[in-house]
């Protein structure tokens, strides 16, 4: 019988950007099974009202609860900024977000200097990062900058060259001008653009400055939380990843693979789940049980659902 600790982790985001958090979790907690839900039919959340974000987030969380998860990681800065408290009130299981881990890592990296935060318009307008930083350090100031074009560049795969450098510079200039000497990537898309952000921040600041990846910081927090609560899986093998989406666009496989760092099947057609092994080869699910006693290959399930 599967113990509660061996139940999967649930992770959700407004789209596929949260797969950078999954990527970090799979590195930090490789034995954990993960169920990821990307609300690709209603992305983006960053321009929605707080009331709408709360409603969407509760819907996503309840889908994951229906899949038997032991805890939920909100891999979305917008939801973490405006809906995390409501999720914790409404849901009878642990809910972890990305804001506090990113803020904690930012405070450690800043050493008292101003922290610059790049995020969506919704995240920056919420004031969530300044509040989180204030709860950790009363001496540290926060300067925020909405950076919507970085989201588009990440989704298009435009990750290097003059265009991403110029866009990064445009958004970083006011932060460095405000005295920021560390930059928190306050959107799950932005780790893909770390190289141009890091280069332009260093050029503007006159030398290298820390770039904080909230996805990696969140994975560290989740690992610590699971260990402290006795919720870390007892299994020793590699964990599986089930991927749920509310829409399966033609660009799905390319975009998802870019964020996750692993090959993903799916060409935009609605279908039953496909399994993608570690070698990136797609395989059909086993029919009628096992074949010669061999279990079907563990891998990534891609399934379109309705909310």
């Amino acid at each position: 019988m599967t113990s509660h600790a061996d139940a999967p982790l649930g992770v959700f985001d407004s789209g596929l950007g949260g797969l950078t958090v999954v990527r970090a979790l799979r590195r930090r907690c490789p034995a954990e099974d993960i169920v990821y839900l990307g609300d690709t039919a209603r992305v983006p959340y960053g321009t929605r009202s707080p009331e709408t974000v709360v409603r969407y987030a509760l819907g996503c969380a309840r889908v994951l609860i229906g899949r038997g998860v032991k805890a939920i990681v909100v891999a979305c800065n917008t939801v973490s900024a405006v809906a995390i408290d409501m999720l914790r009130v409404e849901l009878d299981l642990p809910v972890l977000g990305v804001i506090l881990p990113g803020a904690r890592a930012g405070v450690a990296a800043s050493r008292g200097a101003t922290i610059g935060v790049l995020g969506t318009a919704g995240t920056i307008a919420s004031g969530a990062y300044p509040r989180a930083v204030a709860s950790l350090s009363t001496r540290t100031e926060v300067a925020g900058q909405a950076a919507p074009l970085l989201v588009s560049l990440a989704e298009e795969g435009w990750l290097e060259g003059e265009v991403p450098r110029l866009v990064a510079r445009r958004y970083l200039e006011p932060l460095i001008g405000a005295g920021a000497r560390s930059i928190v990537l306050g959107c799950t898309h932005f780790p893909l653009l770390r190289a141009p952000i890091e280069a332009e921040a260093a050029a503007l600041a006159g030398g290298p400055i820390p770039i904080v990846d909230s996805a990696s910081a969140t994975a560290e927090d989740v690992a610590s939380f699971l260990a402290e609560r006795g919720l870390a899986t007892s299994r020793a093998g590699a964990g599986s990843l089930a991927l749920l989406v509310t829409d399966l666009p033609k660009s799905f496989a390319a975009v998802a693979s870019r964020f996750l760092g692993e090959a993903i099947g799916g060409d935009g057609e609605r279908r039953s789940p496909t399994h993608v092994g570690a070698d990136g080869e797609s395989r059909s699910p086993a029919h009628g049980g096992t074949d010669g006693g061999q279990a079907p290959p563990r891998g990534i399930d891609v399934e379109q659902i309705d909310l």
Side-chain angles (χ1 to χ4, degrees), residues 23-39:
R23 184 177 186 170
L25 283 169
R26 279 163 73 81
R27 286 197 303 262
R28 183 63 181 82
C29 309
E32 297 289 347
D33 288 342
I34 297 173
V35 181
Y36 178 84
L37 170 58
D39 192 4

Side-chain angles (χ1 to χ4, degrees), residues 238-267:
S240 65
L241 171 61
L243 179 57
L244 314 177
V245 293
T246 53
D247 186 34
L248 200 56
K250 292 292 184 182
S251 61
F252 167 77
V255 176
S257 298
R258 190 178 304 131
F259 284 105
L260 185 61
E262 300 179 40
I264 299 287
D267 55 9

Side-chain angles (χ1 to χ4, degrees), residues 112-204:
T114 296
I115 298 171
V117 178
L118 292 172
T120 65
T123 297
I124 298 304
S126 73
Y129 272 99
R131 288 195 300 273
V133 168
S135 73
L136 300 166
S137 170
T138 57
R139 300 184 301 113
T140 306
E141 299 292 330
V142 177
Q145 175 64 49
L149 286 180
L150 292 180
V151 176
S152 300
L153 290 174
E155 292 186 347
E156 291 295 328
W158 210 334
L159 309 180
E160 56 187 25
E162 184 178 18
V163 171
R165 285 193 299 102
L166 289 174
V167 172
R169 176 174 283 264
R170 165 66 180 81
Y171 291 135
L172 287 165
E173 281 176 339
L175 298 181
I176 301 301
R181 290 301 177 266
S182 66
I183 302 295
V184 174
L185 304 181
C187 173
T188 52
H189 287 62
F190 296 172
L192 275 68
L193 290 154
R194 179 170 184 145
I197 291 170
E198 196 164 34
E200 292 305 311
L204 290 166

Side-chain angles (χ1 to χ4, degrees), residues 221-244:
D221 266 32
V222 171
S224 297
F225 177 86
L226 294 178
E228 291 167 1
R229 297 293 185 93
L231 288 174
T233 183
S234 60
R235 293 187 303 267
S240 65
L241 171 61
L243 179 57
L244 314 177

